[in-house]
Amino acid sequence: MTEKKNSLDPALRCRILRYLYTGNEVPKYYPGCWEAHNYFKIDKLTALNEALTNDPNNTEVINLIVKVAKDGMYTRFEPIAFALAKCLLLGTPTIKEATYNAAAEICVTSEQMLLFQKFSRLFKTGNGRGWCKNVIQWYTNKKPMDLIKEITRVRGRYGRTHKTLLRKSHIKVPENDFLRDAIVKYAIFGLKRAKQLMGDKPGTSEIFEYIQKVEDLRHCEDPPAAAEMIVRNKFVLDHIPGHLLTTQEVWEALLPHFTLPQLLHHLQRMHNMAFLSGTSTLIPKLLTLLNNQDYIQSSDVTPLHVYIAKCDYRLKTRPMRHEKAKVAAEKEQRRRSRQIYDSKTGLWEWTTTRRHPKELKNWGIDKPPNPLVLASLSKLVDQTWCLTPPTKKRYLITMDMRHHMFKGRHFCKSYTVPKKGKLAANKATALGSGDTDTEKKSKKHLLAECFYNKHITPGHAAIVMALQLLKREKDVKLAVFSEEGIEFVSIERNFTNMEEAEFVLRKANLGRVQLDAPIEWAAKSNVKFDVFINMVDRVTRYMELDQKDRGGRGPGGRFGPPPSPEKNLVDHCPVRALQRYRKTSGVKDAKLIVMNLASHRVSTTDGSHEGVLDVVGVDKHVPQLIDAFALGHFY
């Protein structure tokens, strides 16, 4: 693949890189935006249209996609697969050839390859010779044993299956490659027919033995026997059929094969099936993994990832889209018809011992979280500060640590629930076996909530991310917003835990938020920083400021033109303050990150400025995104 240097317009290059890392062409990252069904439409990533219109044969866009995929710091693979598929749609034969070569290079797992195939099918790019060659290349480049493990692990995803792709590609296996030929025939015709066609060929016995073990597991009805097969053959979660995933023996066998991110992801699932309550034999194995130093050090999880998992587990749920939330509410209503509410303990107890297969997945969802698991997760947060490599940049992190970041509502005023008229008496409803008490659900939302992760307060999210940078990097300064601008807070890098840091931060001289104050202080003090990070719950708090301190900002705190000289106002726009700082300090690539943790209404820049990023809310990918942005992987 030949690279044309400096042939791609810098503005287009910037927009493409933003999309590949954040899923958005404007400098704004929305957690959870990937779950939207209409997010990946053909009219997205318009920068690619413009780039290929200006130079139809410019393969630099393909090189950008490959570079982002290989550096491993992207948040999700969906934007990369989407960009590759759109190159097929818009490109010339030269671009299409380069795209298929790139897809063969970066689509390693079955999920990645099938996701790319999903988007290519969505754009109707066709199944011509280039497509067939790409599919055949994926199946012929892998070793036979690795290939059969991939095919048996993932039979299909995103509406595409291995069987369909092999049929459509008209794959022709080399004459003497009996092992690969046996795998292809198994994927298309099944085990029985494949044995009839290839059973007597040399070397195929090992392949068929492995396939037979997978098939035996899929048809096994005895959980202890299935658990033994999992341990003996080192099967992973994707190999397990659905009817075995509600049995504790199977999860005990799978647990040692989980990575730490997988373990945190499935923690709530195990709790919902009542595997983490009482005297369950799964709990000691789980605690052993959560306290194993070698196991922890081999992962790259961030403290924020662990903290999110801990908060979700403590409140027994995870953030859901509106559609899933409605389904969960319907399931809860059906579950309540077979339960009775104990007003003394505040728990719902089952009135039946005969479990419906669909109820097995939620049998323990109403039980309280295990205190031992919560304690291990709290300890795990303090063990993951330095797992990710340092960026070796100079940071100035400024946070709003006032009351509303943890418990307040608007502008730091006390929040009171409006009084209603006569409250209707809660009538007991006859459910299941007889009269029951009604669970009282309070409508008072006294805790602040992060966008997308409502179980985390903006204050705690800011503290976790700031302390990770403080612990990991050598040159980090922490400050809080004050009435005079900012005030620095002294926290040692060898702090003991989060609670100590929170106490120090909340006892500082706190004041109203002015987003340009950290940059102005650095400029006046002649101190050099590479990255400025402002963490607030919502940038609309600029309305707290006096009228003269709002100059240069538009409605709602958004980017606006500089104030008129006639009004004699100081320009407090953080973007223009950053541009002035670059000129005076000599740090030409200084960057600004504004984290708007509790609201999606943020627009620090209009998209025409480099080195500015808005983060809306928080999720487990945010620390990785900040690192990539600080290192200059995208502008």
mmCIF file of all heavy atoms in Angstrom, residues 21-22 68 71-75 391 393 395 472 591 593 613 621-635:
data_model
loop_
_atom_site.group_PDB
_atom_site.id
_atom_site.type_symbol
_atom_site.label_atom_id
_atom_site.label_comp_id
_atom_site.label_asym_id
_atom_site.label_seq_id
_atom_site.Cartn_x
_atom_site.Cartn_y
_atom_site.Cartn_z
ATOM 1 N N TYR A 21 -11.665 7.560 16.678
ATOM 2 C CA TYR A 21 -11.435 7.425 18.118
ATOM 3 C C TYR A 21 -12.693 7.664 18.943
ATOM 4 O O TYR A 21 -12.903 6.992 19.957
ATOM 5 C CB TYR A 21 -10.341 8.394 18.575
ATOM 6 C CG TYR A 21 -8.945 7.897 18.319
ATOM 7 C CD1 TYR A 21 -8.244 8.303 17.189
ATOM 8 C CD2 TYR A 21 -8.320 7.018 19.187
ATOM 9 C CE1 TYR A 21 -6.962 7.852 16.942
ATOM 10 C CE2 TYR A 21 -7.038 6.557 18.949
ATOM 11 C CZ TYR A 21 -6.362 6.975 17.826
ATOM 12 O OH TYR A 21 -5.089 6.510 17.585
ATOM 13 N N THR A 22 -13.516 8.626 18.532
ATOM 14 C CA THR A 22 -14.659 9.014 19.368
ATOM 15 C C THR A 22 -16.007 8.658 18.763
ATOM 16 O O THR A 22 -17.025 8.731 19.443
ATOM 17 C CB THR A 22 -14.645 10.532 19.627
ATOM 18 O OG1 THR A 22 -14.900 11.227 18.392
ATOM 19 C CG2 THR A 22 -13.301 10.966 20.179
ATOM 20 N N VAL A 68 -4.821 3.562 13.326
ATOM 21 C CA VAL A 68 -5.659 3.638 14.525
ATOM 22 C C VAL A 68 -5.969 2.240 15.058
ATOM 23 O O VAL A 68 -5.936 2.004 16.272
ATOM 24 C CB VAL A 68 -6.963 4.404 14.209
ATOM 25 C CG1 VAL A 68 -7.934 4.308 15.378
ATOM 26 C CG2 VAL A 68 -6.657 5.854 13.892
ATOM 27 N N ASP A 71 -2.750 0.822 16.856
ATOM 28 C CA ASP A 71 -2.243 1.402 18.098
ATOM 29 C C ASP A 71 -3.018 0.919 19.320
ATOM 30 O O ASP A 71 -2.549 1.030 20.449
ATOM 31 C CB ASP A 71 -2.214 2.923 18.030
ATOM 32 C CG ASP A 71 -3.588 3.580 18.061
ATOM 33 O OD1 ASP A 71 -4.551 2.976 18.540
ATOM 34 O OD2 ASP A 71 -3.695 4.739 17.601
ATOM 35 N N GLY A 72 -4.226 0.365 19.113
ATOM 36 C CA GLY A 72 -4.968 -0.271 20.192
ATOM 37 C C GLY A 72 -5.584 0.663 21.202
ATOM 38 O O GLY A 72 -6.079 0.212 22.230
ATOM 39 N N MET A 73 -5.612 1.971 20.933
ATOM 40 C CA MET A 73 -6.149 2.918 21.902
ATOM 41 C C MET A 73 -7.530 3.437 21.505
ATOM 42 O O MET A 73 -8.056 4.346 22.136
ATOM 43 C CB MET A 73 -5.189 4.102 22.082
ATOM 44 C CG MET A 73 -3.836 3.695 22.633
ATOM 45 S SD MET A 73 -2.808 5.087 23.112
ATOM 46 C CE MET A 73 -3.604 5.584 24.629
ATOM 47 N N TYR A 74 -8.125 2.880 20.458
ATOM 48 C CA TYR A 74 -9.484 3.263 20.086
ATOM 49 C C TYR A 74 -10.467 2.710 21.120
ATOM 50 O O TYR A 74 -10.181 1.720 21.802
ATOM 51 C CB TYR A 74 -9.825 2.758 18.681
ATOM 52 C CG TYR A 74 -9.711 1.257 18.510
ATOM 53 C CD1 TYR A 74 -10.777 0.415 18.809
ATOM 54 C CD2 TYR A 74 -8.530 0.674 18.048
ATOM 55 C CE1 TYR A 74 -10.668 -0.960 18.655
ATOM 56 C CE2 TYR A 74 -8.424 -0.691 17.892
ATOM 57 C CZ TYR A 74 -9.494 -1.497 18.186
ATOM 58 O OH TYR A 74 -9.401 -2.863 18.042
ATOM 59 N N THR A 75 -11.607 3.355 21.236
ATOM 60 C CA THR A 75 -12.569 2.935 22.253
ATOM 61 C C THR A 75 -13.359 1.714 21.818
ATOM 62 O O THR A 75 -13.570 0.799 22.602
ATOM 63 C CB THR A 75 -13.533 4.085 22.580
ATOM 64 O OG1 THR A 75 -14.126 4.566 21.364
ATOM 65 C CG2 THR A 75 -12.793 5.222 23.260
ATOM 66 N N THR A 391 1.819 8.683 29.991
ATOM 67 C CA THR A 391 1.949 9.441 28.745
ATOM 68 C C THR A 391 3.125 10.405 28.767
ATOM 69 O O THR A 391 3.501 10.942 27.726
ATOM 70 C CB THR A 391 0.662 10.237 28.479
ATOM 71 O OG1 THR A 391 0.436 11.138 29.587
ATOM 72 C CG2 THR A 391 -0.535 9.304 28.357
ATOM 73 N N LYS A 393 3.276 13.426 29.940
ATOM 74 C CA LYS A 393 2.856 14.796 29.647
ATOM 75 C C LYS A 393 2.682 15.571 30.947
ATOM 76 O O LYS A 393 2.599 14.991 32.037
ATOM 77 C CB LYS A 393 1.546 14.796 28.855
ATOM 78 C CG LYS A 393 1.608 14.062 27.530
ATOM 79 C CD LYS A 393 2.499 14.776 26.537
ATOM 80 C CE LYS A 393 2.522 14.062 25.197
ATOM 81 N NZ LYS A 393 3.378 14.734 24.199
ATOM 82 N N TYR A 395 0.297 17.874 33.178
ATOM 83 C CA TYR A 395 -1.147 18.059 33.317
ATOM 84 C C TYR A 395 -1.459 19.116 34.367
ATOM 85 O O TYR A 395 -0.798 19.182 35.415
ATOM 86 C CB TYR A 395 -1.828 16.757 33.743
ATOM 87 C CG TYR A 395 -1.811 15.653 32.710
ATOM 88 C CD1 TYR A 395 -0.717 14.802 32.594
ATOM 89 C CD2 TYR A 395 -2.894 15.445 31.863
ATOM 90 C CE1 TYR A 395 -0.701 13.779 31.663
ATOM 91 C CE2 TYR A 395 -2.891 14.426 30.937
ATOM 92 C CZ TYR A 395 -1.795 13.596 30.840
ATOM 93 O OH TYR A 395 -1.780 12.588 29.916
ATOM 94 N N ARG A 472 0.052 8.069 38.345
ATOM 95 C CA ARG A 472 0.776 7.449 37.235
ATOM 96 C C ARG A 472 1.810 8.377 36.603
ATOM 97 O O ARG A 472 2.891 7.942 36.205
ATOM 98 C CB ARG A 472 -0.236 7.008 36.179
ATOM 99 C CG ARG A 472 0.309 6.148 35.070
ATOM 100 C CD ARG A 472 -0.734 5.951 33.993
ATOM 101 N NE ARG A 472 -1.074 7.213 33.334
ATOM 102 C CZ ARG A 472 -1.986 7.324 32.372
ATOM 103 N NH1 ARG A 472 -2.666 6.267 31.989
ATOM 104 N NH2 ARG A 472 -2.225 8.496 31.813
ATOM 105 N N LYS A 591 -3.147 21.250 24.886
ATOM 106 C CA LYS A 591 -4.494 20.743 24.633
ATOM 107 C C LYS A 591 -5.410 21.064 25.805
ATOM 108 O O LYS A 591 -4.961 21.238 26.945
ATOM 109 C CB LYS A 591 -4.454 19.232 24.389
ATOM 110 C CG LYS A 591 -3.652 18.828 23.150
ATOM 111 C CD LYS A 591 -3.607 17.319 23.004
ATOM 112 C CE LYS A 591 -2.896 16.927 21.707
ATOM 113 N NZ LYS A 591 -1.493 17.379 21.683
ATOM 114 N N ILE A 593 -9.109 19.698 27.582
ATOM 115 C CA ILE A 593 -10.193 18.714 27.702
ATOM 116 C C ILE A 593 -11.200 19.260 28.699
ATOM 117 O O ILE A 593 -10.844 19.559 29.844
ATOM 118 C CB ILE A 593 -9.667 17.343 28.164
ATOM 119 C CG1 ILE A 593 -8.613 16.799 27.193
ATOM 120 C CG2 ILE A 593 -10.817 16.350 28.299
ATOM 121 C CD1 ILE A 593 -7.949 15.525 27.667
ATOM 122 N N LEU A 613 -11.162 19.057 23.231
ATOM 123 C CA LEU A 613 -12.042 17.886 23.276
ATOM 124 C C LEU A 613 -13.065 18.050 24.384
ATOM 125 O O LEU A 613 -12.719 18.395 25.514
ATOM 126 C CB LEU A 613 -11.220 16.610 23.517
ATOM 127 C CG LEU A 613 -12.010 15.310 23.678
ATOM 128 C CD1 LEU A 613 -12.707 14.933 22.376
ATOM 129 C CD2 LEU A 613 -11.098 14.166 24.132
ATOM 130 N N HIS A 621 -14.279 3.823 28.958
ATOM 131 C CA HIS A 621 -13.310 4.137 27.902
ATOM 132 C C HIS A 621 -12.707 5.528 28.027
ATOM 133 O O HIS A 621 -11.756 5.839 27.306
ATOM 134 C CB HIS A 621 -13.988 4.011 26.531
ATOM 135 C CG HIS A 621 -14.545 2.660 26.232
ATOM 136 N ND1 HIS A 621 -13.744 1.568 26.006
ATOM 137 C CD2 HIS A 621 -15.824 2.208 26.130
ATOM 138 C CE1 HIS A 621 -14.502 0.506 25.774
ATOM 139 N NE2 HIS A 621 -15.759 0.876 25.848
ATOM 140 N N VAL A 622 -13.240 6.372 28.894
ATOM 141 C CA VAL A 622 -12.796 7.769 28.960
ATOM 142 C C VAL A 622 -11.306 7.892 29.305
ATOM 143 O O VAL A 622 -10.594 8.678 28.672
ATOM 144 C CB VAL A 622 -13.673 8.564 29.945
ATOM 145 C CG1 VAL A 622 -13.067 9.926 30.243
ATOM 146 C CG2 VAL A 622 -15.076 8.736 29.376
ATOM 147 N N PRO A 623 -10.747 7.179 30.309
ATOM 148 C CA PRO A 623 -9.300 7.313 30.579
ATOM 149 C C PRO A 623 -8.435 6.959 29.379
ATOM 150 O O PRO A 623 -7.435 7.631 29.111
ATOM 151 C CB PRO A 623 -9.069 6.335 31.744
ATOM 152 C CG PRO A 623 -10.395 6.216 32.411
ATOM 153 C CD PRO A 623 -11.403 6.299 31.308
ATOM 154 N N GLN A 624 -8.812 5.923 28.650
ATOM 155 C CA GLN A 624 -8.059 5.541 27.456
ATOM 156 C C GLN A 624 -8.159 6.619 26.381
ATOM 157 O O GLN A 624 -7.181 6.922 25.688
ATOM 158 C CB GLN A 624 -8.612 4.211 26.928
ATOM 159 C CG GLN A 624 -7.891 3.647 25.733
ATOM 160 C CD GLN A 624 -8.460 2.301 25.303
ATOM 161 O OE1 GLN A 624 -9.171 1.656 26.049
ATOM 162 N NE2 GLN A 624 -8.146 1.898 24.097
ATOM 163 N N LEU A 625 -9.335 7.219 26.241
ATOM 164 C CA LEU A 625 -9.526 8.281 25.264
ATOM 165 C C LEU A 625 -8.675 9.504 25.619
ATOM 166 O O LEU A 625 -8.074 10.133 24.743
ATOM 167 C CB LEU A 625 -11.005 8.666 25.210
ATOM 168 C CG LEU A 625 -11.412 9.669 24.142
ATOM 169 C CD1 LEU A 625 -11.438 9.008 22.779
ATOM 170 C CD2 LEU A 625 -12.771 10.267 24.460
ATOM 171 N N ILE A 626 -8.616 9.850 26.909
ATOM 172 C CA ILE A 626 -7.801 10.985 27.345
ATOM 173 C C ILE A 626 -6.325 10.731 27.045
ATOM 174 O O ILE A 626 -5.600 11.630 26.599
ATOM 175 C CB ILE A 626 -8.033 11.247 28.845
ATOM 176 C CG1 ILE A 626 -9.462 11.771 29.075
ATOM 177 C CG2 ILE A 626 -7.018 12.230 29.397
ATOM 178 C CD1 ILE A 626 -9.813 11.969 30.530
ATOM 179 N N ASP A 627 -5.861 9.513 27.291
ATOM 180 C CA ASP A 627 -4.461 9.187 26.998
ATOM 181 C C ASP A 627 -4.159 9.340 25.511
ATOM 182 O O ASP A 627 -3.124 9.899 25.130
ATOM 183 C CB ASP A 627 -4.155 7.756 27.455
ATOM 184 C CG ASP A 627 -4.105 7.622 28.964
ATOM 185 O OD1 ASP A 627 -4.099 8.663 29.651
ATOM 186 O OD2 ASP A 627 -4.084 6.479 29.461
ATOM 187 N N ALA A 628 -5.067 8.824 24.657
ATOM 188 C CA ALA A 628 -4.845 8.920 23.214
ATOM 189 C C ALA A 628 -4.833 10.379 22.763
ATOM 190 O O ALA A 628 -4.024 10.772 21.917
ATOM 191 C CB ALA A 628 -5.935 8.139 22.464
ATOM 192 N N PHE A 629 -5.715 11.186 23.338
ATOM 193 C CA PHE A 629 -5.774 12.601 22.974
ATOM 194 C C PHE A 629 -4.524 13.338 23.457
ATOM 195 O O PHE A 629 -3.956 14.169 22.731
ATOM 196 C CB PHE A 629 -7.029 13.225 23.579
ATOM 197 C CG PHE A 629 -7.254 14.657 23.202
ATOM 198 C CD1 PHE A 629 -7.615 14.998 21.913
ATOM 199 C CD2 PHE A 629 -7.087 15.668 24.133
ATOM 200 C CE1 PHE A 629 -7.816 16.329 21.550
ATOM 201 C CE2 PHE A 629 -7.294 16.990 23.785
ATOM 202 C CZ PHE A 629 -7.655 17.323 22.490
ATOM 203 N N ALA A 630 -4.074 13.040 24.666
ATOM 204 C CA ALA A 630 -2.876 13.690 25.197
ATOM 205 C C ALA A 630 -1.633 13.338 24.389
ATOM 206 O O ALA A 630 -0.729 14.168 24.221
ATOM 207 C CB ALA A 630 -2.679 13.302 26.664
ATOM 208 N N LEU A 631 -1.575 12.127 23.878
ATOM 209 C CA LEU A 631 -0.427 11.693 23.081
ATOM 210 C C LEU A 631 -0.485 12.209 21.650
ATOM 211 O O LEU A 631 0.435 11.964 20.867
ATOM 212 C CB LEU A 631 -0.344 10.165 23.079
ATOM 213 C CG LEU A 631 0.043 9.516 24.408
ATOM 214 C CD1 LEU A 631 -0.158 8.009 24.347
ATOM 215 C CD2 LEU A 631 1.480 9.853 24.772
ATOM 216 N N GLY A 632 -1.575 12.882 21.287
ATOM 217 C CA GLY A 632 -1.684 13.446 19.944
ATOM 218 C C GLY A 632 -2.108 12.454 18.888
ATOM 219 O O GLY A 632 -1.897 12.696 17.691
ATOM 220 N N HIS A 633 -2.730 11.346 19.281
ATOM 221 C CA HIS A 633 -3.194 10.374 18.289
ATOM 222 C C HIS A 633 -4.341 10.939 17.462
ATOM 223 O O HIS A 633 -4.564 10.513 16.333
ATOM 224 C CB HIS A 633 -3.628 9.083 18.983
ATOM 225 C CG HIS A 633 -2.470 8.325 19.541
ATOM 226 N ND1 HIS A 633 -2.572 7.038 20.035
ATOM 227 C CD2 HIS A 633 -1.161 8.646 19.685
ATOM 228 C CE1 HIS A 633 -1.392 6.622 20.461
ATOM 229 N NE2 HIS A 633 -0.533 7.573 20.260
ATOM 230 N N PHE A 634 -5.118 11.821 18.053
ATOM 231 C CA PHE A 634 -6.084 12.603 17.278
ATOM 232 C C PHE A 634 -6.111 13.995 17.882
ATOM 233 O O PHE A 634 -5.805 14.183 19.049
ATOM 234 C CB PHE A 634 -7.472 11.942 17.278
ATOM 235 C CG PHE A 634 -8.150 11.904 18.614
ATOM 236 C CD1 PHE A 634 -9.173 12.783 18.917
ATOM 237 C CD2 PHE A 634 -7.778 10.972 19.579
ATOM 238 C CE1 PHE A 634 -9.809 12.738 20.141
ATOM 239 C CE2 PHE A 634 -8.407 10.915 20.796
ATOM 240 C CZ PHE A 634 -9.433 11.810 21.085
ATOM 241 N N TYR A 635 -6.487 14.978 17.093
ATOM 242 C CA TYR A 635 -6.248 16.369 17.492
ATOM 243 C C TYR A 635 -7.261 16.854 18.512
ATOM 244 O O TYR A 635 -8.392 16.449 18.514
ATOM 245 C CB TYR A 635 -6.287 17.267 16.245
ATOM 246 C CG TYR A 635 -5.310 16.835 15.192
ATOM 247 C CD1 TYR A 635 -5.733 16.125 14.073
ATOM 248 C CD2 TYR A 635 -3.965 17.107 15.325
ATOM 249 C CE1 TYR A 635 -4.829 15.711 13.111
ATOM 250 C CE2 TYR A 635 -3.057 16.701 14.357
ATOM 251 C CZ TYR A 635 -3.498 15.998 13.258
ATOM 252 O OH TYR A 635 -2.604 15.590 12.309
#
